[in-house]
Coordinates of all heavy atoms in Angstrom, one line a residue:
M244 N -131.0 -77.4 45.9 CA -131.2 -76.0 46.1 C -129.8 -75.3 45.9 O -128.8 -75.7 46.3 CB -131.6 -75.8 47.6 CG -132.0 -74.4 47.9 SD -132.6 -74.2 49.6 CE -134.0 -75.3 49.6
S245 N -129.9 -74.2 45.1 CA -128.6 -73.5 44.8 C -128.1 -72.8 46.1 O -128.9 -72.6 47.0 CB -128.9 -72.5 43.7 OG -129.5 -71.3 44.2
E246 N -126.9 -72.3 46.0 CA -126.3 -71.6 47.2 C -127.0 -70.3 47.4 O -126.9 -69.7 48.5 CB -124.8 -71.4 47.0 CG -124.5 -70.4 45.9 CD -123.1 -70.2 45.6 OE1 -122.4 -71.1 45.2 OE2 -122.6 -69.0 45.9
D247 N -127.8 -69.8 46.4 CA -128.4 -68.5 46.5 C -129.9 -68.7 47.0 O -130.6 -67.7 47.2 CB -128.4 -67.7 45.2 CG -127.0 -67.2 45.0 OD1 -126.5 -66.4 45.8 OD2 -126.4 -67.6 44.0
A248 N -130.4 -69.9 47.1 CA -131.7 -70.1 47.5 C -131.7 -70.5 49.0 O -130.8 -71.1 49.5 CB -132.4 -71.2 46.8
T249 N -132.7 -70.1 49.8 CA -132.8 -70.4 51.2 C -134.1 -71.2 51.4 O -134.9 -71.3 50.5 CB -132.8 -69.1 52.0 OG1 -134.0 -68.3 51.7 CG2 -131.6 -68.3 51.8
E250 N -134.1 -71.8 52.6 CA -135.2 -72.7 52.9 C -136.6 -72.0 53.0 O -137.6 -72.6 52.9 CB -134.9 -73.5 54.1 CG -133.7 -74.4 53.9 CD -133.4 -75.2 55.2 OE1 -134.3 -75.3 56.1 OE2 -132.3 -75.7 55.3
D251 N -136.6 -70.7 53.2 CA -137.9 -70.0 53.4 C -138.4 -69.4 52.1 O -139.1 -68.4 52.2 CB -137.8 -69.0 54.6 CG -136.7 -68.0 54.3 OD1 -136.0 -68.1 53.3 OD2 -136.6 -67.1 55.2
D252 N -138.1 -70.0 51.0 CA -138.5 -69.6 49.7 C -138.1 -68.1 49.3 O -138.9 -67.4 48.8 CB -140.1 -69.7 49.6 CG -140.5 -69.9 48.1 OD1 -139.7 -70.4 47.3 OD2 -141.6 -69.5 47.8
T253 N -136.9 -67.8 49.7 CA -136.3 -66.5 49.3 C -135.1 -66.9 48.5 O -134.6 -68.0 48.5 CB -135.9 -65.7 50.5 OG1 -134.9 -66.3 51.2 CG2 -137.1 -65.3 51.4
I254 N -134.7 -65.9 47.7 CA -133.5 -66.1 46.9 C -132.6 -64.8 47.1 O -133.1 -63.7 47.2 CB -133.8 -66.3 45.4 CG1 -132.6 -66.7 44.6 CG2 -134.6 -65.2 44.8 CD1 -132.8 -67.3 43.3
R255 N -131.3 -65.1 47.1 CA -130.4 -63.9 47.2 C -130.3 -63.3 45.9 O -130.1 -63.9 44.8 CB -129.0 -64.4 47.6 CG -128.0 -63.3 47.7 CD -126.9 -63.5 48.7 NE -127.5 -63.6 50.0 CZ -126.9 -64.3 51.0 NH1 -125.8 -65.0 50.8 NH2 -127.5 -64.3 52.2
C256 N -130.5 -62.0 45.9 CA -130.4 -61.1 44.7 C -129.3 -60.1 44.9 O -129.0 -59.6 46.0 CB -131.7 -60.4 44.4 SG -133.1 -61.5 44.1
W257 N -128.6 -59.8 43.8 CA -127.4 -59.0 43.8 C -127.7 -57.6 43.1 O -128.4 -57.6 42.2 CB -126.3 -59.7 43.1 CG -125.9 -60.9 43.9 CD1 -126.4 -62.2 43.8 CD2 -124.9 -61.0 45.0 NE1 -125.9 -63.0 44.7 CE2 -124.9 -62.3 45.4 CE3 -124.0 -60.1 45.5 CZ2 -124.1 -62.7 46.5 CZ3 -123.2 -60.5 46.5 CH2 -123.2 -61.8 47.0
L258 N -127.1 -56.6 43.7 CA -127.3 -55.2 43.1 C -126.7 -55.2 41.7 O -125.5 -55.5 41.5 CB -126.6 -54.2 44.0 CG -126.7 -52.8 43.6 CD1 -128.2 -52.3 43.7 CD2 -125.8 -51.9 44.4
V259 N -127.5 -54.8 40.8 CA -127.1 -54.8 39.4 C -127.2 -53.4 38.8 O -126.6 -53.1 37.7 CB -127.8 -55.8 38.5 CG1 -127.4 -57.2 38.9 CG2 -129.3 -55.6 38.5
E260 N -128.0 -52.5 39.4 CA -128.1 -51.1 38.9 C -128.5 -50.2 40.1 O -129.2 -50.7 41.0 CB -129.3 -51.0 37.9 CG -129.0 -51.4 36.5 CD -130.1 -51.1 35.6 OE1 -131.2 -50.8 36.0 OE2 -129.8 -51.2 34.4
R261 N -127.9 -49.0 40.0 CA -128.3 -48.0 41.0 C -128.3 -46.7 40.3 O -127.3 -46.3 39.6 CB -127.2 -48.0 42.2 CG -127.4 -46.9 43.2 CD -126.5 -47.0 44.3 NE -125.2 -47.5 44.0 CZ -124.4 -48.0 44.9 NH1 -124.7 -48.0 46.2 NH2 -123.2 -48.5 44.6
T262 N -129.4 -46.0 40.5 CA -129.5 -44.7 39.8 C -130.0 -43.6 40.8 O -130.9 -43.9 41.6 CB -130.6 -44.8 38.7 OG1 -130.3 -45.8 37.8 CG2 -130.7 -43.5 37.9
Y263 N -129.4 -42.5 40.8 CA -129.8 -41.4 41.7 C -130.7 -40.5 40.9 O -130.3 -40.1 39.7 CB -128.5 -40.6 42.2 CG -127.7 -41.5 43.0 CD1 -126.6 -42.3 42.5 CD2 -127.9 -41.5 44.4 CE1 -125.9 -43.1 43.3 CE2 -127.1 -42.3 45.2 CZ -126.1 -43.1 44.7 OH -125.3 -43.9 45.5
T264 N -131.8 -40.1 41.4 CA -132.7 -39.2 40.7 C -132.5 -37.8 41.2 O -131.9 -37.5 42.2 CB -134.2 -39.6 41.0 OG1 -134.5 -39.3 42.4 CG2 -134.4 -41.1 40.8
D265 N -133.1 -36.9 40.4 CA -133.0 -35.5 40.8 C -134.0 -35.1 41.9 O -134.0 -34.0 42.3 CB -133.2 -34.6 39.6 CG -134.6 -34.8 38.9 OD1 -135.3 -35.7 39.3 OD2 -134.9 -34.1 38.0
R266 N -134.7 -36.1 42.4 CA -135.7 -35.8 43.5 C -135.2 -36.3 44.8 O -135.9 -36.5 45.8 CB -137.0 -36.5 43.2 CG -137.7 -35.8 42.0 CD -139.0 -36.5 41.6 NE -138.8 -37.9 41.3 CZ -139.6 -38.9 41.5 NH1 -140.8 -38.6 42.1 NH2 -139.3 -40.1 41.2
G267 N -133.9 -36.7 44.9 CA -133.3 -37.2 46.2 C -133.6 -38.6 46.5 O -133.6 -39.0 47.6
L268 N -133.8 -39.4 45.4 CA -134.1 -40.8 45.6 C -133.1 -41.6 44.9 O -132.4 -41.2 44.0 CB -135.5 -41.1 44.9 CG -136.7 -40.4 45.5 CD1 -137.9 -40.7 44.6 CD2 -137.0 -40.7 46.9
V269 N -132.9 -42.9 45.4 CA -132.0 -43.8 44.8 C -132.9 -45.0 44.3 O -133.7 -45.6 45.1 CB -131.0 -44.4 45.9 CG1 -130.1 -45.4 45.2 CG2 -130.2 -43.2 46.5
D270 N -132.8 -45.3 43.1 CA -133.4 -46.5 42.5 C -132.4 -47.6 42.4 O -131.4 -47.5 41.8 CB -133.9 -46.2 41.1 CG -135.0 -45.2 41.0 OD1 -135.8 -45.1 42.0 OD2 -135.1 -44.4 40.1
M271 N -132.7 -48.7 43.1 CA -131.8 -49.9 43.1 C -132.5 -51.1 42.5 O -133.7 -51.3 42.8 CB -131.4 -50.2 44.6 CG -130.6 -49.1 45.2 SD -130.3 -49.3 46.9 CE -131.8 -48.8 47.6
T272 N -131.8 -51.8 41.7 CA -132.3 -53.0 41.1 C -131.4 -54.2 41.5 O -130.2 -54.1 41.3 CB -132.3 -52.9 39.5 OG1 -133.0 -51.8 39.1 CG2 -132.8 -54.2 38.9
Y273 N -132.0 -55.1 42.2 CA -131.4 -56.4 42.6 C -131.9 -57.5 41.7 O -133.1 -57.6 41.5 CB -131.7 -56.7 44.1 CG -131.0 -55.8 45.0 CD1 -131.6 -54.6 45.4 CD2 -129.8 -56.1 45.6 CE1 -130.9 -53.7 46.3 CE2 -129.1 -55.3 46.5 CZ -129.7 -54.1 46.9 OH -129.1 -53.3 47.8
A274 N -131.0 -58.3 41.2 CA -131.4 -59.4 40.3 C -130.9 -60.7 40.8 O -130.0 -60.9 41.5 CB -130.7 -59.2 38.9
T275 N -131.7 -61.8 40.4 CA -131.3 -63.1 40.7 C -130.0 -63.4 39.9 O -129.7 -62.8 39.0 CB -132.4 -64.1 40.2 OG1 -132.7 -63.9 38.8 CG2 -133.7 -63.9 41.0
P276 N -129.3 -64.5 40.4 CA -128.0 -64.8 39.7 C -128.1 -65.0 38.2 O -127.1 -64.7 37.5 CB -127.5 -66.0 40.5 CG -128.1 -65.9 41.8 CD -129.5 -65.3 41.6
D277 N -129.2 -65.5 37.8 CA -129.3 -65.8 36.3 C -129.9 -64.6 35.6 O -130.0 -64.6 34.3 CB -130.2 -67.0 36.1 CG -131.6 -66.9 36.5 OD1 -132.0 -65.8 37.0 OD2 -132.4 -67.9 36.3
G278 N -130.2 -63.5 36.3 CA -130.7 -62.3 35.7 C -132.2 -62.3 35.2 O -132.7 -61.4 34.6
S279 N -132.9 -63.4 35.5 CA -134.2 -63.6 35.0 C -135.3 -62.8 35.8 O -136.4 -62.6 35.3 CB -134.6 -65.1 34.9 OG -134.7 -65.6 36.2
H280 N -135.0 -62.5 37.0 CA -136.0 -61.8 37.9 C -135.3 -60.7 38.7 O -134.1 -60.8 39.0 CB -136.6 -62.8 38.8 CG -137.5 -63.7 38.2 ND1 -137.1 -64.8 37.5 CD2 -138.9 -63.7 38.0 CE1 -138.1 -65.5 37.0 NE2 -139.2 -64.8 37.3
V281 N -136.1 -59.6 39.0 CA -135.5 -58.5 39.7 C -136.5 -58.1 40.8 O -137.7 -58.3 40.8 CB -135.3 -57.3 38.8 CG1 -134.2 -57.6 37.8 CG2 -136.6 -56.8 38.2
R282 N -135.9 -57.3 41.8 CA -136.6 -56.6 42.8 C -136.1 -55.2 42.7 O -134.9 -54.9 42.9 CB -136.3 -57.2 44.2 CG -136.9 -56.4 45.3 CD -138.4 -56.6 45.4 NE -138.9 -56.1 46.7 CZ -140.0 -55.4 46.8 NH1 -140.7 -55.2 45.8 NH2 -140.3 -55.0 48.0
R283 N -137.0 -54.3 42.5 CA -136.6 -52.9 42.5 C -137.0 -52.2 43.7 O -138.1 -52.4 44.3 CB -137.3 -52.2 41.3 CG -136.7 -52.7 39.9 CD -137.3 -52.0 38.7 NE -136.6 -52.4 37.5 CZ -136.9 -53.4 36.8 NH1 -137.9 -54.2 37.1 NH2 -136.2 -53.7 35.7
K284 N -136.1 -51.3 44.2 CA -136.4 -50.6 45.5 C -136.1 -49.1 45.2 O -135.1 -48.8 44.5 CB -135.5 -51.0 46.6 CG -135.7 -52.4 47.1 CD -134.7 -52.9 48.1 CE -134.5 -52.0 49.3 NZ -133.6 -52.6 50.3
Q285 N -136.9 -48.2 45.7 CA -136.6 -46.8 45.6 C -136.6 -46.3 47.1 O -137.5 -46.5 47.8 CB -137.7 -46.1 44.8 CG -137.4 -44.7 44.5 CD -138.4 -44.0 43.6 OE1 -139.5 -43.8 44.0 NE2 -138.0 -43.8 42.4
V286 N -135.5 -45.6 47.4 CA -135.3 -45.1 48.8 C -134.9 -43.7 48.7 O -134.1 -43.3 47.9 CB -134.2 -46.0 49.5 CG1 -134.0 -45.6 50.9 CG2 -134.6 -47.5 49.4
S287 N -135.3 -42.9 49.7 CA -134.9 -41.5 49.8 C -133.5 -41.5 50.4 O -133.2 -42.2 51.4 CB -135.9 -40.8 50.8 OG -135.3 -39.6 51.3
T288 N -132.7 -40.7 49.8 CA -131.3 -40.5 50.3 C -131.3 -39.9 51.7 O -130.5 -40.2 52.5 CB -130.4 -39.7 49.3 OG1 -131.1 -38.4 49.1 CG2 -130.2 -40.4 48.0
T289 N -132.3 -39.1 52.0 CA -132.4 -38.4 53.3 C -132.7 -39.5 54.3 O -132.1 -39.5 55.4 CB -133.5 -37.4 53.3 OG1 -133.2 -36.4 52.3 CG2 -133.7 -36.7 54.7
I290 N -133.6 -40.4 54.0 CA -134.0 -41.5 55.0 C -132.8 -42.4 55.2 O -132.5 -42.8 56.3 CB -135.2 -42.2 54.5 CG1 -136.4 -41.3 54.7 CG2 -135.4 -43.5 55.3 CD1 -137.7 -41.9 54.1
M291 N -132.1 -42.7 54.1 CA -130.9 -43.6 54.2 C -129.9 -42.9 55.2 O -129.3 -43.6 56.0 CB -130.3 -43.8 52.9 CG -131.1 -44.7 52.0 SD -130.4 -45.0 50.3 CE -128.9 -46.0 50.7
R292 N -129.6 -41.6 55.0 CA -128.7 -40.9 55.9 C -129.2 -40.9 57.4 O -128.4 -41.2 58.3 CB -128.5 -39.5 55.4 CG -127.4 -39.4 54.3 CD -127.0 -38.0 54.1 NE -128.1 -37.1 53.8 CZ -128.6 -36.8 52.6 NH1 -128.1 -37.4 51.6 NH2 -129.6 -36.0 52.4
Q293 N -130.5 -40.7 57.6 CA -131.0 -40.6 58.9 C -131.0 -41.9 59.6 O -130.7 -42.0 60.8 CB -132.5 -40.1 58.9 CG -132.7 -38.7 58.5 CD -134.1 -38.3 58.3 OE1 -135.0 -39.2 58.2 NE2 -134.4 -37.0 58.3
R294 N -131.2 -43.0 58.9 CA -131.1 -44.4 59.5 C -129.7 -44.9 59.5 O -129.5 -46.0 60.1 CB -132.0 -45.3 58.6 CG -133.5 -45.0 58.7 CD -134.3 -46.0 57.9 NE -135.7 -45.7 58.0 CZ -136.6 -46.2 57.2 NH1 -136.2 -47.1 56.3 NH2 -137.8 -45.9 57.3
G295 N -128.8 -44.2 58.8 CA -127.4 -44.7 58.8 C -127.3 -46.0 58.0 O -126.4 -46.8 58.2
S296 N -128.2 -46.2 57.0 CA -128.2 -47.4 56.2 C -127.6 -47.1 54.9 O -127.7 -46.1 54.3 CB -129.7 -48.0 56.0 OG -130.5 -47.0 55.4
G297 N -126.9 -48.1 54.4 CA -126.3 -48.0 53.0 C -126.9 -49.1 52.1 O -127.9 -49.8 52.4
T298 N -126.4 -49.1 51.0 CA -126.8 -50.1 49.9 C -125.9 -51.3 50.0 O -124.7 -51.2 49.9 CB -126.7 -49.5 48.5 OG1 -127.4 -48.3 48.5 CG2 -127.1 -50.4 47.5
T299 N -126.5 -52.5 50.3 CA -125.7 -53.7 50.4 C -125.6 -54.4 49.0 O -126.4 -54.1 48.1 CB -126.3 -54.7 51.4 OG1 -127.7 -55.0 50.9 CG2 -126.4 -54.1 52.8
A300 N -124.5 -55.2 48.9 CA -124.3 -55.9 47.7 C -125.4 -56.9 47.3 O -125.6 -57.1 46.1 CB -122.9 -56.6 47.7
A301 N -126.0 -57.4 48.3 CA -127.1 -58.4 48.0 C -128.2 -58.3 49.1 O -128.0 -57.7 50.2 CB -126.5 -59.8 48.1
V302 N -129.4 -58.7 48.7 CA -130.5 -58.8 49.6 C -131.2 -60.2 49.4 O -131.1 -60.7 48.3 CB -131.5 -57.7 49.5 CG1 -130.9 -56.3 49.9 CG2 -132.1 -57.6 48.0
D303 N -131.8 -60.7 50.4 CA -132.7 -61.9 50.2 C -134.1 -61.5 50.0 O -134.6 -60.7 50.8 CB -132.6 -62.8 51.5 CG -131.2 -63.4 51.6 OD1 -130.5 -63.6 50.6 OD2 -130.8 -63.7 52.8
V304 N -134.7 -62.0 48.9 CA -136.0 -61.5 48.4 C -136.9 -62.7 48.4 O -136.5 -63.8 47.8 CB -135.9 -60.8 47.1 CG1 -137.3 -60.4 46.6 CG2 -134.9 -59.7 47.1
A305 N -138.1 -62.5 48.8 CA -139.2 -63.6 48.7 C -139.4 -63.7 47.2 O -139.6 -62.8 46.4 CB -140.4 -63.2 49.4
R306 N -139.5 -65.0 46.7 CA -139.7 -65.2 45.3 C -141.0 -64.6 44.8 O -141.1 -64.1 43.7 CB -139.8 -66.7 45.1 CG -138.5 -67.4 45.2 CD -138.6 -68.9 45.0 NE -137.3 -69.6 45.3 CZ -136.3 -69.7 44.5 NH1 -136.3 -69.2 43.3 NH2 -135.2 -70.3 44.9
S307 N -142.0 -64.4 45.7 CA -143.3 -63.8 45.3 C -143.1 -62.3 45.1 O -144.0 -61.7 44.5 CB -144.3 -64.1 46.3 OG -143.9 -63.5 47.6
D308 N -142.0 -61.7 45.5 CA -141.8 -60.3 45.4 C -140.9 -59.9 44.2 O -140.5 -58.8 43.9 CB -141.1 -59.7 46.6 CG -142.0 -59.7 47.8 OD1 -143.3 -59.7 47.6 OD2 -141.5 -59.6 48.9
L309 N -140.5 -60.9 43.4 CA -139.7 -60.7 42.2 C -140.5 -60.5 41.0 O -141.6 -61.1 40.8 CB -138.8 -62.0 42.0 CG -137.7 -62.2 43.0 CD1 -137.1 -63.6 42.8 CD2 -136.7 -61.1 43.0
D310 N -140.0 -59.6 40.1 CA -140.6 -59.4 38.8 C -139.8 -60.0 37.7 O -138.5 -59.9 37.8 CB -140.7 -57.9 38.6 CG -141.6 -57.2 39.6 OD1 -142.7 -57.7 39.9 OD2 -141.3 -56.1 40.0
P311 N -140.4 -60.5 36.7 CA -139.6 -61.1 35.6 C -138.9 -60.1 34.7 O -139.4 -58.9 34.6 CB -140.7 -61.9 34.8 CG -142.0 -61.2 35.1 CD -141.8 -60.7 36.5
V312 N -137.8 -60.4 34.1 CA -137.1 -59.6 33.2 C -137.4 -60.2 31.8 O -137.0 -61.3 31.5 CB -135.6 -59.5 33.5 CG1 -134.9 -58.7 32.4 CG2 -135.3 -59.0 34.8
D313 N -138.1 -59.5 31.0 CA -138.5 -60.1 29.7 C -137.5 -60.0 28.6 O -137.5 -60.8 27.7 CB -139.8 -59.4 29.2 CG -141.0 -59.6 30.2 OD1 -141.0 -60.7 30.8 OD2 -141.8 -58.7 30.4
D314 N -136.6 -59.0 28.7 CA -135.7 -58.8 27.6 C -134.4 -59.6 27.8 O -133.8 -59.5 28.9 CB -135.3 -57.3 27.6 CG -134.2 -56.9 26.6 OD1 -134.4 -57.3 25.4 OD2 -133.2 -56.3 27.0
E315 N -134.1 -60.4 26.8 CA -133.0 -61.4 27.0 C -131.6 -60.6 27.1 O -130.8 -61.1 27.9 CB -132.9 -62.3 25.7 CG -131.9 -63.4 25.9 CD -131.9 -64.4 24.7 OE1 -133.0 -64.7 24.2 OE2 -130.8 -64.9 24.4
E316 N -131.4 -59.5 26.4 CA -130.2 -58.8 26.6 C -130.0 -58.2 28.0 O -128.9 -58.2 28.6 CB -130.2 -57.6 25.5 CG -128.9 -56.9 25.5 CD -128.9 -55.8 24.4 OE1 -129.3 -56.1 23.2 OE2 -128.5 -54.7 24.7
T317 N -131.1 -57.7 28.5 CA -131.1 -57.2 29.9 C -130.8 -58.4 30.9 O -130.0 -58.2 31.8 CB -132.4 -56.5 30.3 OG1 -132.6 -55.4 29.3 CG2 -132.4 -55.9 31.7
Q318 N -131.4 -59.5 30.7 CA -131.2 -60.7 31.5 C -129.7 -61.0 31.5 O -129.1 -61.3 32.6 CB -132.0 -61.9 31.1 CG -133.4 -61.9 31.4 CD -134.1 -63.1 30.9 OE1 -133.5 -64.1 30.6 NE2 -135.4 -63.1 30.9
E319 N -129.1 -61.0 30.4 CA -127.7 -61.4 30.3 C -126.8 -60.3 31.0 O -125.8 -60.7 31.7 CB -127.3 -61.5 28.8 CG -127.9 -62.7 28.1 CD -127.6 -62.7 26.6 OE1 -126.9 -61.9 26.1 OE2 -128.2 -63.6 26.0
R320 N -127.2 -59.1 30.8 CA -126.4 -58.0 31.5 C -126.5 -58.1 33.0 O -125.6 -58.0 33.7 CB -126.9 -56.6 31.0 CG -126.1 -55.5 31.5 CD -126.5 -54.1 30.8 NE -127.9 -53.8 30.7 CZ -128.6 -53.2 31.7 NH1 -128.0 -52.8 32.8 NH2 -129.9 -53.0 31.5
Y321 N -127.8 -58.4 33.5 CA -128.0 -58.5 34.9 C -127.2 -59.7 35.4 O -126.7 -59.7 36.5 CB -129.5 -58.6 35.2 CG -130.2 -57.3 35.1 CD1 -131.6 -57.3 35.2 CD2 -129.6 -56.1 35.0 CE1 -132.4 -56.1 35.2 CE2 -130.3 -54.9 34.9 CZ -131.7 -54.9 35.0 OH -132.4 -53.8 35.0
A322 N -127.3 -60.8 34.7 CA -126.6 -62.0 35.2 C -125.1 -61.8 35.3 O -124.4 -62.2 36.3 CB -126.8 -63.2 34.2
A323 N -124.5 -61.1 34.3 CA -123.1 -60.8 34.3 C -122.7 -59.9 35.5 O -121.7 -60.1 36.2 CB -122.6 -60.1 33.0
E324 N -123.6 -58.9 35.8 CA -123.3 -58.0 36.9 C -123.5 -58.7 38.2 O -122.7 -58.4 39.2 CB -124.2 -56.7 36.8 CG -124.0 -55.7 37.8 CD -122.6 -55.1 37.9 OE1 -121.8 -55.3 36.9 OE2 -122.2 -54.4 38.9
A325 N -124.5 -59.5 38.3 CA -124.7 -60.3 39.6 C -123.5 -61.2 39.8 O -123.0 -61.2 41.0 CB -126.0 -61.1 39.5
E326 N -123.0 -61.8 38.8 CA -121.8 -62.6 39.0 C -120.6 -61.8 39.4 O -119.8 -62.2 40.3 CB -121.5 -63.4 37.7 CG -120.2 -64.3 37.8 CD -120.4 -65.4 38.7 OE1 -121.5 -65.8 39.0 OE2 -119.3 -65.9 39.2
R327 N -120.4 -60.6 38.9 CA -119.3 -59.8 39.3 C -119.4 -59.4 40.7 O -118.5 -59.4 41.5 CB -119.3 -58.5 38.4 CG -118.1 -57.6 38.6 CD -118.1 -56.3 37.8 NE -119.1 -55.4 38.4 CZ -119.0 -54.6 39.4 NH1 -117.9 -54.7 40.2 NH2 -119.9 -53.8 39.8
M328 N -120.7 -59.0 41.1 CA -120.9 -58.6 42.5 C -120.6 -59.8 43.5 O -120.0 -59.6 44.5 CB -122.3 -58.1 42.7 CG -122.6 -56.8 42.0 SD -121.6 -55.4 42.7 CE -122.6 -55.1 44.2
R329 N -121.0 -61.0 43.1 CA -120.8 -62.2 43.9 C -119.3 -62.4 44.1 O -118.9 -62.9 45.2 CB -121.5 -63.4 43.3 CG -123.0 -63.4 43.4 CD -123.6 -64.5 42.6 NE -123.3 -65.8 43.2 CZ -123.7 -66.9 42.8 NH1 -124.3 -67.0 41.6 NH2 -123.4 -68.0 43.4
E330 N -118.6 -62.2 43.1 CA -117.1 -62.5 43.1 C -116.4 -61.4 43.9 O -115.4 -61.7 44.5 CB -116.5 -62.5 41.7 CG -117.0 -63.8 40.9 CD -116.5 -63.8 39.5 OE1 -115.9 -62.8 39.0 OE2 -116.8 -64.7 38.8
E331 N -116.9 -60.2 43.9 CA -116.1 -59.1 44.5 C -116.6 -58.6 45.9 O -115.9 -57.9 46.5 CB -116.1 -57.9 43.5 CG -115.4 -58.1 42.2 CD -115.4 -56.9 41.3 OE1 -115.9 -55.8 41.7 OE2 -115.1 -57.1 40.1
H332 N -117.8 -59.0 46.3 CA -118.4 -58.5 47.5 C -119.0 -59.6 48.3 O -119.6 -60.5 47.8 CB -119.4 -57.4 47.2 CG -118.8 -56.2 46.5 ND1 -118.1 -55.3 47.0 CD2 -119.0 -55.9 45.1 CE1 -117.7 -54.4 46.1 NE2 -118.2 -54.8 44.9
D333 N -119.0 -59.4 49.7 CA -119.8 -60.2 50.6 C -121.2 -59.6 50.5 O -121.4 -58.4 50.2 CB -119.3 -60.1 52.0 CG -118.0 -60.7 52.2 OD1 -117.7 -61.8 51.5 OD2 -117.2 -60.3 53.1
P334 N -122.2 -60.5 50.7 CA -123.6 -60.0 50.5 C -124.0 -58.8 51.4 O -124.7 -57.9 50.9 CB -124.4 -61.2 51.0 CG -123.5 -62.4 50.7 CD -122.2 -61.9 51.0
E335 N -123.5 -58.8 52.6 CA -123.8 -57.7 53.5 C -123.0 -56.4 53.4 O -123.2 -55.4 54.0 CB -123.7 -58.1 55.0 CG -124.7 -59.3 55.3 CD -124.1 -60.6 54.9 OE1 -122.9 -60.7 54.7 OE2 -124.9 -61.6 54.8
E336 N -122.0 -56.5 52.5 CA -121.0 -55.4 52.3 C -121.8 -54.2 51.7 O -122.5 -54.3 50.7 CB -119.9 -55.9 51.4 CG -118.8 -54.8 51.2 CD -117.7 -55.4 50.4 OE1 -117.6 -56.6 50.1 OE2 -116.9 -54.6 49.9
E337 N -121.5 -53.0 52.2 CA -122.0 -51.8 51.6 C -121.3 -51.4 50.4 O -120.0 -51.5 50.4 CB -122.0 -50.7 52.6 CG -123.1 -50.8 53.7 CD -123.3 -49.6 54.6 OE1 -122.9 -48.5 54.1 OE2 -123.8 -49.7 55.6
V338 N -122.0 -51.1 49.3 CA -121.4 -50.8 48.1 C -121.9 -49.4 47.6 O -122.9 -49.0 47.9 CB -121.6 -51.9 47.0 CG1 -120.9 -53.1 47.4 CG2 -123.1 -52.1 46.8

């Protein structure tokens, strides 16, 4: 089992993209270390402020909640960004 896999069939995914929309939303993309799968989240910036929650460098995601990344170039870009995040941030660190 890799260091990013846990016993309860989840895998640690790292923040690889964050986009702010003109509707007050934040689109976040978390990818597996190899960039082959992602979990996308969309959160209201208002709700984030009200809850006092930020964006963490990583989240643990159930494998069943991951979507495949079909484009090889995107997979490579996500893998490189996931590696950079792993090297520079603790998983729970707000980024």
Side-chain angles (χ1 to χ4, degrees):
M244 186 177 302
S245 80
E246 69 182 66
D247 287 301
T249 61
E250 293 180 22
D251 58 356
D252 205 28
T253 62
I254 187 164
R255 179 153 294 152
C256 295
W257 295 86
L258 183 67
V259 295
E260 281 186 345
R261 174 175 31 199
T262 307
Y263 295 89
T264 72
D265 59 355
R266 297 178 297 148
L268 301 172
V269 180
D270 292 327
M271 294 172 281
T272 302
Y273 287 87
T275 56
D277 66 0
S279 67
H280 289 81
V281 295
R282 172 75 167 138
R283 291 183 173 89
K284 293 172 55 174
Q285 188 174 70
V286 182
S287 162
T288 56
T289 302
I290 290 174
M291 288 177 73
R292 277 192 304 272
Q293 288 173 348
R294 293 182 183 165
S296 62
T298 302
T299 57
V302 293
D303 293 331
V304 179
R306 290 178 189 277
S307 60
D308 290 338
L309 293 170
D310 295 318
V312 176
D313 297 324
D314 177 53
E315 188 174 324
E316 185 176 313
T317 301
Q318 284 182 14
E319 290 173 6
R320 183 169 51 87
Y321 284 172
E324 182 61 14
E326 180 64 25
R327 185 185 73 77
M328 291 295 282
R329 288 173 68 181
E330 290 175 356
E331 296 181 8
H332 301 283
D333 291 329
E335 300 82 21
E336 184 178 348
E337 287 190 18
V338 292

